[in-house]
Amino acid sequence: SQQGEEDPQALSIQEGENATMNCSYKTSINNLQWYRQNSGRGLVHLILIRSNEREKHSGRLRVTLDTSKKSSSLLITASRAADTASYFCATANPQAGTALIFGKGTTLSVSS
Amino acid sequence: DAGVIQSPRHEVTEMGQEVTLRCKPISGHNSLFWYRQTMMRGLELLIYFNNNVPIDDSGMPEDRFSAKMPNASFSTLKIQPSEPRDSAVYFCASSETGAKNIQYFGAGTRLSVL
């Protein structure tokens, strides 16, 4: 079964609002990553948080990790229409070698 | 670097035909991954290679699917014979050992089997 499960499956907001997406996983991890996929394109790496980190920032992105709850959240602040995309969490875990396990993604729509 | 390069970008074929998808990973990356993405099943890992050696092919749906990596700069995913249920977007990704498993994706091949 999928390691990462994103919630919600779909999210619609207005420009300027914040968007929060959540990810849950099942096994121990080395790190957790978030990727973005624009329509018709490949996935693009956004940010990585290690298992011993609790929070990380990159520009308008903020990621938190709670290993006790096996969950992570991605916050996009002051969203823009260009943020419209699908967002996936992916976990790197000791049992999976160099592979990542991706969730099914959250589709974010930002309207202007 | 040009990134991960996949070809063709689109493929339309008839059921029963052989389909070959191609991938050129980023130079210096030694892990290569093939994924399939559909609305119903999301992103599925089919197979991955480390240093040109297949490590895990448990995601390959059946014997009609095969993948090769003859050298560090080229990989193929072959479907023979193709079926309509194989219609999907196929992605190739590569990563560098010791780089926290960050993967770089190609633009994908959209396959339609009629």
Side-chain angles (χ1 to χ4, degrees):
Chain A
S1 62
Q2 295 280 358
Q3 166 78 314
E5 295 289 341
E6 288 90 342
D7 167 58
Q9 290 187 348
L11 180 61
S12 294
I13 58 175
Q14 298 284 321
E15 262 192 331
E17 294 180 339
N18 295 341
T20 299
M21 289 159 268
N22 303 297
C23 169
S24 60
Y25 58 92
K26 297 179 181 177
T27 66
S28 62
I29 62 171
N30 294 326
N31 66 61
L32 185 144
Q33 304 175 31
W34 287 90
Y35 287 76
R36 181 184 71 206
Q37 184 181 30
N38 290 87
S39 180
R41 310 289 286 272
L43 280 72
V44 175
H45 174 79
L46 291 177
I47 191 168
L48 177 151
I49 186 165
R50 299 175 197 259
S51 60
N52 62 354
E53 296 176 313
R54 292 297 167 258
E55 186 170 315
K56 199 154 184 186
H57 297 255
S58 177
R60 294 185 296 112
L61 304 180
R62 172 178 170 250
V63 171
T64 62
L65 179 65
D66 187 336
T67 53
S68 67
K69 295 181 179 178
K70 291 186 168 56
S71 67
S72 172
S73 67
L74 172 67
L75 168 68
I76 304 173
T77 59
S79 63
R80 306 166 181 168
D83 295 327
T84 295
S86 292
Y87 293 82
F88 296 84
C89 69
T91 53
N93 64 71
Q95 294 77 30
T98 57
L100 295 175
I101 302 176
F102 285 85
K104 290 193 173 183
T106 292
T107 299
L108 173 65
S109 297
V110 183
S111 53
S112 54
Chain B
D1 201 316
V4 176
I5 300 172
Q6 292 187 245
S7 64
R9 287 297 313 277
H10 303 275
E11 178 80 34
V12 180
T13 191
E14 293 188 348
M15 182 174 63
Q17 296 297 307
E18 177 180 295
V19 175
T20 300
L21 310 181
R22 297 173 175 79
C23 176
K24 176 179 169 55
I26 292 173
S27 178
H29 284 194
N30 51 4
S31 292
L32 183 140
F33 307 84
W34 281 102
Y35 294 90
R36 178 173 68 178
Q37 187 177 40
T38 61
M39 289 293 292
M40 289 297 294
R41 301 175 68 90
L43 191 67
E44 302 173 276
L45 176 64
L46 300 178
I47 185 171
Y48 78 94
F49 298 82
N50 282 351
N51 297 314
N52 313 337
V53 177
I55 301 301
D56 183 358
D57 66 354
S58 60
M60 296 286 262
E62 47 198 277
D63 292 345
R64 298 184 298 106
F65 286 69
S66 63
K68 294 182 180 179
M69 193 165 185
N71 57 62
S73 59
F74 184 65
S75 177
T76 59
L77 178 67
K78 186 176 293 186
I79 308 173
Q80 166 64 15
S82 58
E83 297 183 2
R85 61 192 166 123
D86 302 329
S87 297
V89 181
Y90 291 80
F91 288 103
C92 175
S94 68
S95 70
E96 182 180 9
T97 299
K100 307 166 193 173
N101 295 18
I102 294 173
Q103 294 185 12
Y104 297 81
F105 281 73
T109 294
R110 182 173 296 276
L111 174 65
S112 297
V113 183
L114 306 177

